[in-house]
Amino acid sequence: MHAYLSELGDPDKAKLRKSQDGAESVAVHGGERENLLDLFHRAQLPPAAVKGNIFSFLFAGHEANANTLTLALFLLAVHPSVQRSLQDTVDSHLAGCGGDAGRTDFATHYPLFRESIVTAVINETLRLFTILPFLPKTTADVPVSIVVKGQKHVLPPNTLVLINTSAIHRHPAHWPATPPSEEPRHGCAPYPVSSFNPGYWLGGRGGGEEGDSFLRPQPGAFVPFSDGARGCLGRQFAMVELCAQLVGIFAEWSVELVVEDDDEASGGWEGARARAERTLSEKVVFDMTLRPGEMVPVRFVKRVGKVGIKRS
C-alpha cells in the first residue's frame, strides 16, 4: 500500500498508471479530461501531500462511516418502531423497482430519501454520536473576536480552540430535552439511546411526518462534518453512502436485539434494551473517530413478505 500511494504521488508515474488503467475522468482542463489525482498534480502539491490526500480520500471516510452505520443499526434495534417506519419508507420508495435496492440509482432515488426518515436516522445518529467529539480550530496569525452571552472576547493569534461538538449537539436551545416519558430509566443520564429522536428532523421539532419541512438547524448547531471553508470534503459522499447502506439493509432485513441469559432475569427484551443503553452510554470510545468500545449483541432477520419486526 505504501508503494502504491508513493507511486500516485509521483506525477509521471501517476500519468502512466492512468493511461494503463483507463482511469475515469471527472473534470476538464485545457481540453483534457482530468480526475482528482490530476487536479492534485496540477496544483503542484509535493508528492507527500498528494500521498496524504489520497490516503484520506480512500480510507478516512470508511472508518467514520463504518462506525456511524454500526451505531445506527444499534439504535434502530433498540427502537423497533423507528425501524418499522424506516422500512415502510424504503418499501414505498423502492416500489417502482420491485423492492430491489440493487436497481436504484442516485439521480432517481437519492432525492426521495434525502429528506425522509432514512436521512433523519443518519442525522440523529451523527447528532448523538458525532464523528469527532471535538473540532480543533486555530486563530492562525491574527486575533479573532467572539461573542459569548453578549460579552466580547478576543482570542490571541495562534490560539488552539477545541469546539465541543458533543455539547453543541445536545444544547437545549437547539435540541430540547426528550419528553419526560422517554427520559433515561436506569439512573445513568444522559443516555444517547433515550435521546434518540429522528422526529427532530421530520417536520421541524419532533413528531413530524414525512412530507413536512425537513429541519435545517441553525448554523453551528449541527456540525458532524465541521463547517465553513475547512468542512469535510467527503460530506456528500458519506451521506449518500450511509443512505444506500441503510436502504440496502432494511429493504431485506430487520435487526433485533439478542436476548441473552443475563437479560431474562431483568425482563427479557427490556433487559437487553437496558444493557444496550448502558453500553452505548458508557462504553463508547474515541481513537480515530467515535466508535463503540463494546458491541451490542444483535441479529439480522430476513424480512418475509416485507414485514418488519413486531415489537413496539
mmCIF file of all heavy atoms in Angstrom, residues 89 93 106-123 201-202 210-216 236 239-240 243-244 247:
data_model
loop_
_atom_site.group_PDB
_atom_site.id
_atom_site.type_symbol
_atom_site.label_atom_id
_atom_site.label_comp_id
_atom_site.label_asym_id
_atom_site.label_seq_id
_atom_site.Cartn_x
_atom_site.Cartn_y
_atom_site.Cartn_z
ATOM 1 N N THR A 89 -40.892 3.402 4.638
ATOM 2 C CA THR A 89 -40.433 4.397 3.668
ATOM 3 C C THR A 89 -39.602 3.743 2.577
ATOM 4 O O THR A 89 -39.759 4.041 1.388
ATOM 5 C CB THR A 89 -39.601 5.482 4.378
ATOM 6 O OG1 THR A 89 -40.467 6.198 5.267
ATOM 7 C CG2 THR A 89 -38.988 6.450 3.391
ATOM 8 N N HIS A 93 -40.565 3.781 -1.467
ATOM 9 C CA HIS A 93 -39.726 4.415 -2.485
ATOM 10 C C HIS A 93 -39.095 3.408 -3.439
ATOM 11 O O HIS A 93 -38.658 3.781 -4.537
ATOM 12 C CB HIS A 93 -38.640 5.256 -1.828
ATOM 13 C CG HIS A 93 -39.168 6.477 -1.126
ATOM 14 N ND1 HIS A 93 -40.331 7.115 -1.512
ATOM 15 C CD2 HIS A 93 -38.682 7.192 -0.058
ATOM 16 C CE1 HIS A 93 -40.547 8.156 -0.720
ATOM 17 N NE2 HIS A 93 -39.565 8.218 0.167
ATOM 18 N N PHE A 106 -28.642 6.953 -8.263
ATOM 19 C CA PHE A 106 -28.532 8.182 -7.482
ATOM 20 C C PHE A 106 -29.550 9.232 -7.923
ATOM 21 O O PHE A 106 -30.271 9.806 -7.102
ATOM 22 C CB PHE A 106 -27.109 8.742 -7.606
ATOM 23 C CG PHE A 106 -26.928 10.077 -6.940
ATOM 24 C CD1 PHE A 106 -26.663 10.168 -5.585
ATOM 25 C CD2 PHE A 106 -27.024 11.256 -7.674
ATOM 26 C CE1 PHE A 106 -26.496 11.391 -4.967
ATOM 27 C CE2 PHE A 106 -26.859 12.491 -7.059
ATOM 28 C CZ PHE A 106 -26.593 12.557 -5.707
ATOM 29 N N ALA A 107 -29.626 9.493 -9.223
ATOM 30 C CA ALA A 107 -30.454 10.594 -9.723
ATOM 31 C C ALA A 107 -31.928 10.377 -9.419
ATOM 32 O O ALA A 107 -32.663 11.322 -9.116
ATOM 33 C CB ALA A 107 -30.246 10.775 -11.226
ATOM 34 N N THR A 108 -32.376 9.135 -9.472
ATOM 35 C CA THR A 108 -33.802 8.848 -9.278
ATOM 36 C C THR A 108 -34.164 8.694 -7.815
ATOM 37 O O THR A 108 -35.182 9.239 -7.357
ATOM 38 C CB THR A 108 -34.186 7.562 -10.029
ATOM 39 O OG1 THR A 108 -33.885 7.720 -11.415
ATOM 40 C CG2 THR A 108 -35.673 7.249 -9.848
ATOM 41 N N HIS A 109 -33.362 7.976 -7.048
ATOM 42 C CA HIS A 109 -33.796 7.554 -5.727
ATOM 43 C C HIS A 109 -33.224 8.368 -4.570
ATOM 44 O O HIS A 109 -33.896 8.515 -3.539
ATOM 45 C CB HIS A 109 -33.462 6.069 -5.525
ATOM 46 C CG HIS A 109 -34.232 5.159 -6.436
ATOM 47 N ND1 HIS A 109 -33.756 4.743 -7.657
ATOM 48 C CD2 HIS A 109 -35.470 4.624 -6.311
ATOM 49 C CE1 HIS A 109 -34.649 3.985 -8.245
ATOM 50 N NE2 HIS A 109 -35.696 3.887 -7.461
ATOM 51 N N TYR A 110 -32.005 8.898 -4.714
ATOM 52 C CA TYR A 110 -31.470 9.647 -3.569
ATOM 53 C C TYR A 110 -32.331 10.851 -3.207
ATOM 54 O O TYR A 110 -32.558 11.107 -2.014
ATOM 55 C CB TYR A 110 -30.023 10.069 -3.809
ATOM 56 C CG TYR A 110 -29.428 10.755 -2.603
ATOM 57 C CD1 TYR A 110 -29.274 10.076 -1.390
ATOM 58 C CD2 TYR A 110 -29.051 12.097 -2.654
ATOM 59 C CE1 TYR A 110 -28.755 10.705 -0.272
ATOM 60 C CE2 TYR A 110 -28.527 12.734 -1.536
ATOM 61 C CZ TYR A 110 -28.387 12.039 -0.348
ATOM 62 O OH TYR A 110 -27.886 12.665 0.768
ATOM 63 N N PRO A 111 -32.856 11.609 -4.181
ATOM 64 C CA PRO A 111 -33.736 12.724 -3.793
ATOM 65 C C PRO A 111 -34.955 12.282 -2.986
ATOM 66 O O PRO A 111 -35.466 13.043 -2.159
ATOM 67 C CB PRO A 111 -34.146 13.329 -5.147
ATOM 68 C CG PRO A 111 -33.028 12.975 -6.071
ATOM 69 C CD PRO A 111 -32.589 11.609 -5.641
ATOM 70 N N LEU A 112 -35.431 11.045 -3.200
ATOM 71 C CA LEU A 112 -36.586 10.551 -2.450
ATOM 72 C C LEU A 112 -36.225 10.316 -0.981
ATOM 73 O O LEU A 112 -37.057 10.515 -0.085
ATOM 74 C CB LEU A 112 -37.090 9.237 -3.064
ATOM 75 C CG LEU A 112 -37.570 9.286 -4.513
ATOM 76 C CD1 LEU A 112 -37.946 7.891 -4.989
ATOM 77 C CD2 LEU A 112 -38.760 10.236 -4.658
ATOM 78 N N PHE A 113 -35.008 9.863 -0.744
ATOM 79 C CA PHE A 113 -34.601 9.522 0.620
ATOM 80 C C PHE A 113 -33.931 10.679 1.352
ATOM 81 O O PHE A 113 -33.796 10.647 2.573
ATOM 82 C CB PHE A 113 -33.629 8.335 0.589
ATOM 83 C CG PHE A 113 -34.268 7.041 0.178
ATOM 84 C CD1 PHE A 113 -33.971 6.457 -1.042
ATOM 85 C CD2 PHE A 113 -35.162 6.402 1.023
ATOM 86 C CE1 PHE A 113 -34.555 5.258 -1.420
ATOM 87 C CE2 PHE A 113 -35.761 5.196 0.659
ATOM 88 C CZ PHE A 113 -35.454 4.626 -0.568
ATOM 89 N N ARG A 114 -33.529 11.720 0.619
ATOM 90 C CA ARG A 114 -32.702 12.775 1.200
ATOM 91 C C ARG A 114 -33.394 13.508 2.336
ATOM 92 O O ARG A 114 -32.758 13.933 3.295
ATOM 93 C CB ARG A 114 -32.298 13.766 0.110
ATOM 94 C CG ARG A 114 -31.333 14.847 0.584
ATOM 95 C CD ARG A 114 -30.773 15.600 -0.605
ATOM 96 N NE ARG A 114 -31.831 16.034 -1.505
ATOM 97 C CZ ARG A 114 -31.663 16.229 -2.816
ATOM 98 N NH1 ARG A 114 -30.489 16.014 -3.361
ATOM 99 N NH2 ARG A 114 -32.662 16.622 -3.566
ATOM 100 N N GLU A 115 -34.720 13.665 2.258
ATOM 101 C CA GLU A 115 -35.455 14.341 3.327
ATOM 102 C C GLU A 115 -36.525 13.420 3.912
ATOM 103 O O GLU A 115 -37.628 13.836 4.227
ATOM 104 C CB GLU A 115 -36.064 15.646 2.804
ATOM 105 C CG GLU A 115 -34.995 16.646 2.379
ATOM 106 C CD GLU A 115 -35.542 18.031 2.106
ATOM 107 O OE1 GLU A 115 -36.777 18.206 2.170
ATOM 108 O OE2 GLU A 115 -34.737 18.948 1.835
ATOM 109 N N SER A 116 -36.157 12.155 4.066
ATOM 110 C CA SER A 116 -37.056 11.157 4.627
ATOM 111 C C SER A 116 -36.526 10.694 5.975
ATOM 112 O O SER A 116 -35.497 11.172 6.466
ATOM 113 C CB SER A 116 -37.161 9.954 3.681
ATOM 114 O OG SER A 116 -35.975 9.172 3.754
ATOM 115 N N ILE A 117 -37.202 9.727 6.552
ATOM 116 C CA ILE A 117 -36.773 9.197 7.846
ATOM 117 C C ILE A 117 -35.412 8.520 7.740
ATOM 118 O O ILE A 117 -34.692 8.406 8.729
ATOM 119 C CB ILE A 117 -37.824 8.221 8.413
ATOM 120 C CG1 ILE A 117 -37.495 7.896 9.878
ATOM 121 C CG2 ILE A 117 -37.933 6.964 7.566
ATOM 122 C CD1 ILE A 117 -38.558 7.108 10.589
ATOM 123 N N VAL A 118 -35.018 8.086 6.539
ATOM 124 C CA VAL A 118 -33.692 7.468 6.372
ATOM 125 C C VAL A 118 -32.604 8.478 6.720
ATOM 126 O O VAL A 118 -31.712 8.207 7.530
ATOM 127 C CB VAL A 118 -33.512 6.931 4.937
ATOM 128 C CG1 VAL A 118 -32.107 6.358 4.759
ATOM 129 C CG2 VAL A 118 -34.557 5.860 4.628
ATOM 130 N N THR A 119 -32.673 9.663 6.125
ATOM 131 C CA THR A 119 -31.689 10.694 6.441
ATOM 132 C C THR A 119 -31.877 11.209 7.869
ATOM 133 O O THR A 119 -30.907 11.582 8.534
ATOM 134 C CB THR A 119 -31.791 11.854 5.440
ATOM 135 O OG1 THR A 119 -31.520 11.349 4.129
ATOM 136 C CG2 THR A 119 -30.795 12.953 5.754
ATOM 137 N N ALA A 120 -33.114 11.227 8.361
ATOM 138 C CA ALA A 120 -33.354 11.645 9.745
ATOM 139 C C ALA A 120 -32.625 10.717 10.719
ATOM 140 O O ALA A 120 -32.045 11.175 11.708
ATOM 141 C CB ALA A 120 -34.849 11.661 10.040
ATOM 142 N N VAL A 121 -32.652 9.405 10.451
ATOM 143 C CA VAL A 121 -31.946 8.449 11.308
ATOM 144 C C VAL A 121 -30.442 8.683 11.228
ATOM 145 O O VAL A 121 -29.734 8.651 12.248
ATOM 146 C CB VAL A 121 -32.297 7.003 10.898
ATOM 147 C CG1 VAL A 121 -31.329 6.003 11.509
ATOM 148 C CG2 VAL A 121 -33.722 6.670 11.317
ATOM 149 N N ILE A 122 -29.916 8.939 10.021
ATOM 150 C CA ILE A 122 -28.481 9.211 9.872
ATOM 151 C C ILE A 122 -28.099 10.466 10.649
ATOM 152 O O ILE A 122 -27.131 10.473 11.423
ATOM 153 C CB ILE A 122 -28.120 9.363 8.386
ATOM 154 C CG1 ILE A 122 -28.354 8.055 7.630
ATOM 155 C CG2 ILE A 122 -26.660 9.805 8.232
ATOM 156 C CD1 ILE A 122 -28.262 8.197 6.121
ATOM 157 N N ASN A 123 -28.859 11.547 10.452
ATOM 158 C CA ASN A 123 -28.552 12.799 11.142
ATOM 159 C C ASN A 123 -28.627 12.652 12.656
ATOM 160 O O ASN A 123 -27.792 13.195 13.394
ATOM 161 C CB ASN A 123 -29.514 13.898 10.686
ATOM 162 C CG ASN A 123 -29.156 14.457 9.329
ATOM 163 O OD1 ASN A 123 -28.174 14.062 8.713
ATOM 164 N ND2 ASN A 123 -29.974 15.379 8.835
ATOM 165 N N TRP A 201 -35.997 15.888 12.962
ATOM 166 C CA TRP A 201 -35.678 16.262 11.595
ATOM 167 C C TRP A 201 -36.898 16.264 10.689
ATOM 168 O O TRP A 201 -36.871 16.874 9.605
ATOM 169 C CB TRP A 201 -34.623 15.303 11.043
ATOM 170 C CG TRP A 201 -33.413 15.291 11.909
ATOM 171 C CD1 TRP A 201 -33.170 14.474 12.988
ATOM 172 C CD2 TRP A 201 -32.300 16.180 11.840
ATOM 173 N NE1 TRP A 201 -31.977 14.797 13.577
ATOM 174 C CE2 TRP A 201 -31.420 15.838 12.885
ATOM 175 C CE3 TRP A 201 -31.962 17.221 10.979
ATOM 176 C CZ2 TRP A 201 -30.226 16.509 13.100
ATOM 177 C CZ3 TRP A 201 -30.773 17.887 11.175
ATOM 178 C CH2 TRP A 201 -29.918 17.531 12.229
ATOM 179 N N LEU A 202 -37.954 15.585 11.096
ATOM 180 C CA LEU A 202 -39.159 15.477 10.274
ATOM 181 C C LEU A 202 -40.207 16.456 10.778
ATOM 182 O O LEU A 202 -40.732 16.316 11.868
ATOM 183 C CB LEU A 202 -39.714 14.047 10.316
ATOM 184 C CG LEU A 202 -38.747 12.961 9.860
ATOM 185 C CD1 LEU A 202 -39.337 11.584 10.102
ATOM 186 C CD2 LEU A 202 -38.402 13.144 8.388
ATOM 187 N N GLU A 210 -43.243 12.612 7.403
ATOM 188 C CA GLU A 210 -42.541 12.862 6.153
ATOM 189 C C GLU A 210 -43.417 13.691 5.233
ATOM 190 O O GLU A 210 -44.633 13.519 5.179
ATOM 191 C CB GLU A 210 -42.158 11.542 5.490
ATOM 192 C CG GLU A 210 -41.074 10.805 6.260
ATOM 193 C CD GLU A 210 -40.553 9.617 5.493
ATOM 194 O OE1 GLU A 210 -40.636 9.641 4.257
ATOM 195 O OE2 GLU A 210 -40.065 8.670 6.131
ATOM 196 N N GLY A 211 -42.787 14.557 4.498
ATOM 197 C CA GLY A 211 -43.528 15.466 3.626
ATOM 198 C C GLY A 211 -43.616 16.848 4.214
ATOM 199 O O GLY A 211 -43.851 17.814 3.512
ATOM 200 N N ASP A 212 -43.456 16.954 5.566
ATOM 201 C CA ASP A 212 -43.371 18.260 6.186
ATOM 202 C C ASP A 212 -41.971 18.830 5.935
ATOM 203 O O ASP A 212 -41.123 18.203 5.334
ATOM 204 C CB ASP A 212 -43.633 18.160 7.691
ATOM 205 C CG ASP A 212 -45.046 17.687 7.985
ATOM 206 O OD1 ASP A 212 -45.907 17.858 7.103
ATOM 207 O OD2 ASP A 212 -45.270 17.141 9.070
ATOM 208 N N SER A 213 -41.736 20.012 6.438
ATOM 209 C CA SER A 213 -40.449 20.656 6.233
ATOM 210 C C SER A 213 -39.356 19.928 7.003
ATOM 211 O O SER A 213 -39.458 19.710 8.208
ATOM 212 C CB SER A 213 -40.528 22.117 6.694
ATOM 213 O OG SER A 213 -39.279 22.735 6.582
ATOM 214 N N PHE A 214 -38.303 19.528 6.296
ATOM 215 C CA PHE A 214 -37.175 18.858 6.930
ATOM 216 C C PHE A 214 -36.344 19.891 7.679
ATOM 217 O O PHE A 214 -36.077 20.975 7.168
ATOM 218 C CB PHE A 214 -36.327 18.158 5.867
ATOM 219 C CG PHE A 214 -35.439 17.065 6.400
ATOM 220 C CD1 PHE A 214 -35.951 15.812 6.680
ATOM 221 C CD2 PHE A 214 -34.089 17.299 6.611
ATOM 222 C CE1 PHE A 214 -35.138 14.791 7.154
ATOM 223 C CE2 PHE A 214 -33.260 16.294 7.094
ATOM 224 C CZ PHE A 214 -33.793 15.038 7.358
ATOM 225 N N LEU A 215 -35.943 19.564 8.898
ATOM 226 C CA LEU A 215 -35.264 20.521 9.761
ATOM 227 C C LEU A 215 -33.924 20.966 9.180
ATOM 228 O O LEU A 215 -33.100 20.140 8.777
ATOM 229 C CB LEU A 215 -35.026 19.902 11.140
ATOM 230 C CG LEU A 215 -34.242 20.766 12.132
ATOM 231 C CD1 LEU A 215 -35.016 22.022 12.487
ATOM 232 C CD2 LEU A 215 -33.902 19.977 13.384
ATOM 233 N N ARG A 216 -33.724 22.276 9.117
ATOM 234 C CA ARG A 216 -32.422 22.871 8.817
ATOM 235 C C ARG A 216 -31.939 23.545 10.093
ATOM 236 O O ARG A 216 -32.402 24.631 10.431
ATOM 237 C CB ARG A 216 -32.529 23.921 7.708
ATOM 238 C CG ARG A 216 -32.279 23.405 6.315
ATOM 239 C CD ARG A 216 -33.372 22.531 5.827
ATOM 240 N NE ARG A 216 -33.228 22.203 4.415
ATOM 241 C CZ ARG A 216 -34.047 21.381 3.786
ATOM 242 N NH1 ARG A 216 -35.062 20.820 4.431
ATOM 243 N NH2 ARG A 216 -33.870 21.110 2.510
ATOM 244 N N GLN A 236 -20.861 14.880 1.354
ATOM 245 C CA GLN A 236 -21.898 14.379 0.449
ATOM 246 C C GLN A 236 -21.715 12.890 0.192
ATOM 247 O O GLN A 236 -22.670 12.120 0.199
ATOM 248 C CB GLN A 236 -21.862 15.161 -0.868
ATOM 249 C CG GLN A 236 -22.848 14.665 -1.926
ATOM 250 C CD GLN A 236 -24.278 15.111 -1.669
ATOM 251 O OE1 GLN A 236 -24.583 15.638 -0.606
ATOM 252 N NE2 GLN A 236 -25.142 14.903 -2.639
ATOM 253 N N MET A 239 -22.880 10.899 3.294
ATOM 254 C CA MET A 239 -24.332 10.856 3.457
ATOM 255 C C MET A 239 -24.985 9.933 2.426
ATOM 256 O O MET A 239 -25.896 9.164 2.753
ATOM 257 C CB MET A 239 -24.912 12.269 3.350
ATOM 258 C CG MET A 239 -24.522 13.191 4.497
ATOM 259 S SD MET A 239 -25.101 12.614 6.116
ATOM 260 C CE MET A 239 -26.879 12.773 5.915
ATOM 261 N N VAL A 240 -24.517 9.992 1.187
ATOM 262 C CA VAL A 240 -25.089 9.125 0.148
ATOM 263 C C VAL A 240 -24.759 7.667 0.442
ATOM 264 O O VAL A 240 -25.611 6.776 0.314
ATOM 265 C CB VAL A 240 -24.572 9.540 -1.250
ATOM 266 C CG1 VAL A 240 -25.023 8.537 -2.311
ATOM 267 C CG2 VAL A 240 -25.080 10.928 -1.612
ATOM 268 N N CYS A 243 -26.894 6.418 3.337
ATOM 269 C CA CYS A 243 -28.265 6.240 2.863
ATOM 270 C C CYS A 243 -28.395 4.943 2.068
ATOM 271 O O CYS A 243 -29.320 4.149 2.299
ATOM 272 C CB CYS A 243 -28.676 7.449 2.012
ATOM 273 S SG CYS A 243 -30.338 7.327 1.320
ATOM 274 N N ALA A 244 -27.473 4.709 1.143
ATOM 275 C CA ALA A 244 -27.520 3.492 0.327
ATOM 276 C C ALA A 244 -27.390 2.243 1.194
ATOM 277 O O ALA A 244 -28.062 1.227 0.954
ATOM 278 C CB ALA A 244 -26.414 3.528 -0.727
ATOM 279 N N VAL A 247 -30.727 1.724 3.186
ATOM 280 C CA VAL A 247 -31.783 1.283 2.271
ATOM 281 C C VAL A 247 -31.536 -0.166 1.864
ATOM 282 O O VAL A 247 -32.462 -1.002 1.864
ATOM 283 C CB VAL A 247 -31.841 2.198 1.031
ATOM 284 C CG1 VAL A 247 -32.746 1.598 -0.051
ATOM 285 C CG2 VAL A 247 -32.351 3.582 1.427
#
